[in-house]
Amino acid sequence: VVAGDVTLDAKGDQNAMFVFQAGTSLTTAGNVILINGAQAKNVYWLVGSSATIGTASQWQGNIIALTSITLVDTATLRGRALARNGAVTLGTGNTITLP
């Protein structure tokens, strides 16, 4: 579970990569904030089963899940949502933009 804000600081390196691995599920109730040159295209969330991006979360990066990905109502994603064995499910008022 990721609750609250997660700040990723590239320290001036626009090529800085951020890779997070969740062995099973990823559930969010917060936001990803990119600073000092960090870019959503260089952030990866690798999930062992399913990811749920919570209501009104502002998430950044590419989510790669083995099973499924759900964006709950009004969640936004700047990145990509890729589910290998299941669906990517959207709620009401979601926005997904490419990084």
Side-chain angles (χ1 to χ4, degrees):
V1 175
V2 177
D5 293 342
V6 175
T7 302
L8 304 178
D9 185 349
K11 298 186 186 282
D13 181 359
Q14 293 186 356
N15 295 314
M17 300 289 290
F18 300 89
V19 179
F20 299 90
Q21 293 181 301
T24 56
S25 63
L26 170 68
T27 303
T28 74
N31 308 305
V32 174
I33 300 166
L34 304 177
I35 63 172
N36 295 323
Q39 298 185 59
K41 70 179 184 178
N42 295 333
V43 178
Y44 292 87
W45 303 89
L46 309 176
V47 183
S49 63
S50 297
T52 302
I53 307 305
T55 301
S57 290
Q58 296 178 3
W59 211 249
Q60 299 200 58
N62 304 293
I63 305 168
I64 303 168
L66 180 62
T67 305
S68 63
I69 301 169
T70 301
L71 275 73
V72 183
D73 295 347
T74 67
T76 62
L77 173 64
R78 182 171 174 81
R80 293 170 176 83
L82 308 165
R84 181 173 179 204
N85 295 322
V88 173
T89 305
L90 303 177
T92 303
N94 295 125
T95 302
I96 299 176
T97 55
L98 294 177

